[in-house]
Amino acid sequence: MTRTILDDYLTLSAEPPPRPLASRPVVLIVDDMPDNLALLSDALDESGHIVLVATDGASAIQRLGYITPDLILLDAVMPGLDGFETCRRIKLLASAAHVPVVFMTGLTETEHVVRGFQVGGIDYVTKPIQPLEIVARVAAHIKTARMMSQARDVIDAAAHAVIVLGIDGAPLWQTGKASFWLEKYFPRSDQRKLPPQLQFWLNENLVLLRQTQQPLQPLVINGDDGELTINLSKNTQSAELTLLLEEKSLVLPNAVQLEGYRLTPRETDVLAWVSKGKTNRDIAEILGMSPRTVNKHLEHIYIKLGVETRAAAAALAISRQYGTPATLQ
């Protein structure tokens, strides 16, 4: 049967598109054996990795001063600086201490395996090298490392509403507090996607980020009773991106208005939503905490304000907001 132009088009279109360069994991191979370097480089390159090589420990450490890979494959036995000492020194580098190191070794005695873990290795493979096994282990460890990196970002941003993005800028997941604010400031938007205005701002800044690596201007959205500020944060140790959302209330009592009561920032947030008539469950969802934690904050608030009821606390907060006398109940 004669092939047509359409047949050729369908064949080509069925092939998966090449992975963007920025999304390809970087692996540094450190080995003094050229045959091993060639075998591993070919296998990892075919599986979609960017491969860097070093033939000794000293040059590997030097390379880490210029680039941070996603994983290091390290030969344990090398002349000069052996793999164990190389790994120990790598873990002393602030820019590379987090990078997973997988040892390649023919030394299978327990003392050598234990030593590899003691100096910071995360795994080891035995020689002779099995390329498919190494590719699978590398992929698994890189995936885990990236998830841990994202988790660190989220923990660092625990006081904020958070939207975690993939390396292509698509949202992966978001906290309940972020969902609440998106719905509040971008009504009638499709909750499965970023709102068009936010997506447009994100696309512009992704381009700017690739070109300049400079700090980005936040997106500020004004609402009826508040102001939402959205910042784009890039993990310096990977390509992961995070949107951090913060709301500045324009009508609720703030820390300055209540400073005489020495409320913590979190207690101020809880009291602000109490004065808006929100229940503990509502506040828990908005602030990303449990109802039990909200209740504990309220107990502290009552003591600091010198009141005994929820209504009295709300009345005092509102009076501070508008400068009117409070009627306590």
Side-chain angles (χ1 to χ4, degrees):
M1 181 180 296
T2 304
R3 291 182 61 87
T4 65
I5 295 177
L6 179 60
D7 292 329
D8 292 335
Y9 172 78
L10 292 174
T11 299
L12 291 172
S13 63
E15 298 177 358
R19 295 179 65 180
L21 190 63
S23 70
R24 295 175 62 185
V26 178
V27 178
L28 172 62
I29 307 173
V30 188
D31 199 323
D32 64 317
M33 300 296 293
D35 290 344
N36 288 342
L37 289 173
L39 184 64
L40 288 170
S41 294
D42 289 345
L44 289 167
D45 183 68
E46 289 177 4
S47 63
H49 298 77
I50 296 174
V51 180
L52 306 175
V53 299
T55 55
D56 58 67
S59 60
I61 293 172
Q62 186 178 21
R63 280 212 157 204
L64 292 174
Y66 301 96
I67 190 167
T68 303
D70 291 283
L71 183 138
I72 299 171
L73 280 172
L74 180 59
D75 186 20
V77 180
M78 295 183 293
L81 205 63
D82 68 15
F84 300 114
E85 178 60 19
T86 299
C87 184
R88 189 188 70 81
R89 296 189 186 186
I90 288 173
K91 294 302 174 181
L92 295 176
L93 300 174
S95 61
H98 67 284
V99 178
V101 176
V102 176
F103 278 101
M104 301 179 294
T105 178
L107 305 174
T108 57
E109 290 82 1
T110 300
E111 62 179 297
H112 296 127
V113 174
V114 170
R115 187 182 176 195
F117 287 117
Q118 287 176 336
V119 296
I122 195 173
D123 198 359
Y124 74 97
V125 293
T126 57
K127 296 181 177 182
I129 292 170
Q130 302 296 325
L132 292 179
E133 177 186 349
I134 289 184
V135 167
R137 287 177 182 262
V138 164
H141 286 305
I142 288 178
K143 181 179 179 180
T144 300
R146 287 188 167 180
M147 291 175 63
M148 292 179 65
S149 180
Q150 285 184 333
R152 284 194 296 269
D153 278 355
V154 172
I155 291 172
D156 289 342
H160 302 274
V162 176
I163 302 174
V164 177
L165 306 174
I167 52 179
D168 59 352
L172 297 179
W173 62 274
Q174 59 196 37
T175 62
K177 190 174 180 181
S179 300
F180 178 86
W181 282 344
L182 287 181
E183 185 176 351
K184 176 180 177 181
Y185 285 88
F186 301 95
R188 297 180 295 279
S189 294
D190 186 346
Q191 293 300 307
R192 296 168 297 179
K193 303 177 182 178
L194 292 179
Q197 183 181 0
L198 176 54
Q199 186 67 63
F200 180 80
W201 171 84
L202 176 61
N203 292 343
E204 284 191 323
N205 283 285
L206 287 176
V207 173
L208 182 63
L209 189 63
R210 285 194 291 267
Q211 292 175 346
T212 67
Q213 300 293 315
Q214 295 299 314
L216 307 173
Q217 290 297 318
L219 175 64
V220 179
I221 305 296
N222 293 310
D224 294 334
D225 59 359
E227 181 181 270
L228 183 67
T229 301
I230 304 175
N231 285 281
L232 177 61
S233 172
K234 181 180 180 182
N235 188 328
T236 57
Q237 299 174 355
S238 70
E240 269 61 57
L241 302 168
T242 306
L243 292 177
L244 305 179
L245 290 72
E246 285 188 280
E247 183 184 45
K248 177 183 178 182
S249 177
L250 302 180
V251 300
L252 296 180
N254 55 42
V256 174
Q257 294 164 329
L258 294 169
E259 61 183 1
Y261 296 102
R262 301 187 182 277
L263 299 183
T264 67
R266 189 55 99 192
E267 289 168 354
T268 301
D269 289 341
V270 170
L271 179 57
W273 290 111
V274 166
S275 70
K276 290 285 287 184
K278 297 295 184 181
T279 66
N280 283 14
R281 187 169 297 278
D282 292 334
I283 297 171
E285 184 174 347
I286 294 169
L287 298 181
M289 60 179 68
S290 70
R292 182 185 182 90
T293 302
V294 173
N295 192 60
K296 183 60 66 175
H297 282 309
L298 280 173
E299 291 177 4
H300 296 159
I301 290 169
Y302 295 162
I303 294 172
K304 291 180 179 181
L305 298 187
V307 299
E308 297 182 356
T309 68
R310 187 186 195 91
L316 184 55
I318 293 171
S319 73
R320 282 284 170 168
Q321 175 191 341
Y322 295 109
T324 58
T327 301
L328 302 185
Q329 301 176 15

